[in-house]
Amino acid sequence: MKIYFLLAVFFVSSIAGIANAADKPAAIQLNVAAGDVSKQIDAILEAAGTSEYIEMSKSERAELSEKLSLIESETLDAAAVESTQKQVNVILTEAFADSRLVCSKREVLGTKKKQKTCMTVADKRAERDKTKNDLNQNAVQRMQSGQSLDSNQ
């Protein structure tokens, strides 16, 4: 009886996981083969202005516009269009992933109270990189001044 119950719980949780994965939005993609390229380009440019693509840099936006203009001009051969389409989709996918908001709860120092903090994936990466750089700089400075890296000495 317990086995059937566990199997039922596993089955229900699997279905719930599949449903949650289907609910998550995906990055907008260009598909030249689907036709009506100008409508797709308008939708991409509109989406690029939303919060889902907030981490797209100015240079990435300029590159995206340039590549979309090239495709829309119809001056490229089929291979170049396919290559440019892939580049556009990479820009969109990476910007969408970097713009995803991630929230976590952390204990406030000195209390058991938890504080919710939210930041984009790109912000988290930048914070992590800054911390690594600060630690490396501190270690280099200590080595140059002859101090030990061990904080107990």
Side-chain angles (χ1 to χ4, degrees):
M1 188 67 167
K2 288 181 183 179
I3 292 174
Y4 291 120
F5 177 74
L6 291 174
L7 286 173
V9 169
F10 176 74
F11 179 72
V12 169
S13 65
S14 298
I15 291 174
I18 292 170
N20 284 341
D23 291 344
K24 291 182 182 175
I28 191 166
Q29 298 285 287
L30 177 64
N31 185 355
V32 175
D36 205 357
V37 175
S38 61
K39 248 187 192 178
Q40 290 184 56
I41 289 174
D42 290 343
I44 288 170
L45 292 174
E46 184 179 332
T50 65
S51 63
E52 292 178 330
Y53 294 90
I54 199 161
E55 293 296 334
M56 190 183 302
S57 69
K58 286 183 182 181
S59 63
E60 288 172 326
R61 288 179 194 281
E63 184 181 358
L64 179 67
S65 281
E66 178 186 329
K67 292 188 183 309
L68 290 174
S69 295
L70 273 173
I71 290 174
E72 199 168 31
S73 72
E74 298 179 3
T75 57
L76 302 175
D77 63 1
V81 167
E82 184 178 339
S83 172
T84 306
Q85 174 183 305
K86 285 180 184 177
Q87 293 169 355
V88 164
N89 288 338
V90 166
I91 292 169
L92 291 168
T93 302
E94 288 176 356
F96 184 81
D98 285 347
S99 300
R100 189 171 51 91
L101 198 61
V102 178
C103 297
S104 61
K105 289 187 178 182
R106 297 180 182 168
E107 283 190 17
V108 177
L109 189 62
T111 69
K112 291 192 179 216
K113 181 181 175 185
K114 292 195 177 200
Q115 181 178 15
K116 184 177 180 180
T117 56
C118 297
M119 54 180 41
T120 64
V121 171
D123 289 339
K124 277 182 112 59
R125 185 182 319 113
E127 185 178 274
R128 183 181 62 238
D129 291 346
K130 183 183 181 316
T131 302
K132 280 182 182 179
N133 287 340
D134 290 348
L135 287 172
N136 288 339
Q137 258 184 341
N138 190 8
V140 167
Q141 287 174 352
R142 291 179 110 186
M143 287 174 59
Q144 288 174 344
S145 66
Q147 293 179 354
S148 170
L149 294 178
D150 186 9
S151 61
N152 294 332
Q153 292 181 352

